[in-house]
Amino acid sequence: MAVRSGGFVGKVLRVDLSTGKISTEDTFERYGALLGGAGIGYRVLWDEVPAGTGPFDPANKLIFAAGVLVGTSVPCNGRTTVTTIFPTCWPRPLVGSGHMGGHFAAKLKYAGYDALIVEGKAERPVWLMIRDAQVEIRDAGHVWGTGIRRTTLEISQEMGPDCVVAAIGQAGENLAPMGMLVNSVSHSAGGVGGVMGGKNLKAVAIQGSGAVRIAGDKGAWEALVKFHLSLLGGNNQHVVPSFPTPQAEYYNPASRWIGQPGKRWGAAKPPVEITGGLRDPNRIAYRTNSAAYFLGDAAWKYTVRGNGCTACPIRCHTMLKVPSVTTKYGIPDTGQNTCVALMFGRSFFTQLAGKKNSETAIEACMVGMHLADDLGLWSNYGQLQRDLRKLYEGGYLKARLGSKEYASIPWDKYDNADPAFLLDLIPRIANRQGELGEVLSRGTGAIFDHWSIPETEWAEDHTTTYWKMGHPKHHANEDDGQCGVIINTQYNRDAQCHSHTNFVRNGLPLAVQKKLAAAIWGSPDALDAPGDYTPANLPKARRAKWSLVRKELHDALGVCNWMGPWAASPLQERGYAGDDSLESKFVSLATGQTMDREGLDRAGERIFTLHRALTIRDMGQVNMRAEHDLVPPWVFKEPNDAAPFTKGSIRMDPADIARAMDYFYAVMGWDKDTGAPGKARYAELGLADVGEALDAAGLTPKAEK
């Protein structure tokens, strides 16, 4: 049994929707070594969900898991991991997780639970009410068929304003693989909405009156939190401002730290002007404005404020008020979101792609945000939008849709970049209406299956940024050369890893970054400047491993991988170094059990390796190198035919990437020929039972037998 400590609250809640049985189990007995979050999710799937289970089978499970640091005062601790058999993975469903911010994770902990396991299927639509120890399965007939906003309002009126509601919309109800779950208005977990709908589960709502105990010294804890705040930059841990100022030695125009003194939140009442020192820890939220970063300076006049997750001072979800959208499109004039979800509507239109300071682009973003977050439709990191553009502009839809359906779609509005087009398109997809709605609701893999379009037509096209298994690249070679490529080979959905790019794109000069890299990964050659790549080497592979392990750690601890790791900082007096042991210091104080950086990284590697084991088991395939860790052809091409390692090119060399994978498998301790861990490696990481089961099934490398 794991030693009981702080951080965890001690119980996992289990709800069987088929039988109505509600029970709890001890967190420490089974999950103590897995830290929470994705670690719990992977263990439940390994132990309880057989290989071959489909995403909409009653035997599939949804694991909503918080981490050991969730609900504390650690900055950026508001992440929930929702793990399941992922429905958009193609050609076969495999393990995957959706990740949502907001306030759901903290409320789950305050109610007394480290995780919630949902299994079975209800006979009729239901929602789950959690009020501390009181847990009830309630009828959802009155909200089934309604959007997420109405559902959230109805349930909040029933439970009280201090609850947090995580709900699905019509996309999830219709079992759309592209359905998503949304809590706290705009914080979403993509790809899991349809799985909830398959269980007839409309929503989970939580009130919690408890707290999370810190086992260590409270004074040391408070000092560490203050130190952590001093290391924070802007969104995505950009640690220099985007503008020159006497208050900072360096600046970088590409930085997301765009909150320059004198900028105004123009739609606030009264308008708020940014003033004061850049380093003031009470004004960190003024550094980031995602809308202005992605949409241009024109967005400042529509900005109400920043919003965000539990204990996060960054507030990267920008709230906008755009009065014109109510009169033009009949939607509320206020919305909030960040990054790709902020641009959900704009990204459908080729004419608006990349445009800044355009009123039409901002209106399209508002329409897209409203519809997607209400109907519960995921963008698959923008792949949905790129798919629609390629299908239409490449003539695929005209050739494959029936003439009647094709004529019913207002393509004239699309051609004119009219946001009103979205009022027709997005409900089609969420409701799986017609052939177009049906195919797009199922994800990119359905395009290949339903219309017999070769995957290579996407995988060879730079503009689709398609990677593999129905999903796009996520900060790949365009950001980080071989390291980005390695990371994008490892998951069954888009990688959702920011550890590497948060460092490479932090805004510091390359010489400073290389000095920090030498201290962390043993060599300044662990990274290159984006678009100025050198051949693969062992330090780059070490950094790829570090990035993946930290990503899994963050998903287990419940802290935000958009903001961490904190390997760099804005502090000139520290030589711009962050603290690579910060997470382990927090875990030690929270739990009362000392764990150094190496020990915590080993726990992260255990979790990451369990994900690998699940993928091997469910694929029934040990040769991951040939069958899973794939790189699309577009990575090895350049439209202007520039050679690999040419400055300004992101083109990779196939032989060099093969060497990069050799290095990576070596630092992971995996078999080089298959890219699979051996039985001994599983045992070294505390997963002996996993290794034995895979070995018995013939799913470990032959060299170890």
Side-chain angles (χ1 to χ4, degrees), residues 638-704:
E638 186 76 80
N640 64 8
D641 207 32
F645 311 121
T646 300
K647 189 170 184 178
S649 173
I650 65 170
R651 182 180 181 181
M652 297 282 101
D653 174 71
D656 183 72
I657 290 298
R659 284 191 294 273
M661 297 304 297
D662 286 345
Y663 288 132
F664 175 69
Y665 296 141
V667 299
M668 292 302 301
W670 297 350
D671 175 62
K672 185 181 75 171
D673 293 333
T674 64
K679 182 179 175 181
R681 188 61 180 153
Y682 288 116
E684 289 168 0
L685 292 169
L687 298 170
D689 63 317
V690 173
E692 289 167 3
L694 290 176
D695 191 60
L699 294 174
T700 54
K702 291 181 179 180
E704 288 217 344

Side-chain angles (χ1 to χ4, degrees), residues 629-640:
D629 298 352
L630 307 176
V631 180
W634 66 260
V635 170
F636 305 118
K637 299 179 179 180
E638 186 76 80
N640 64 8

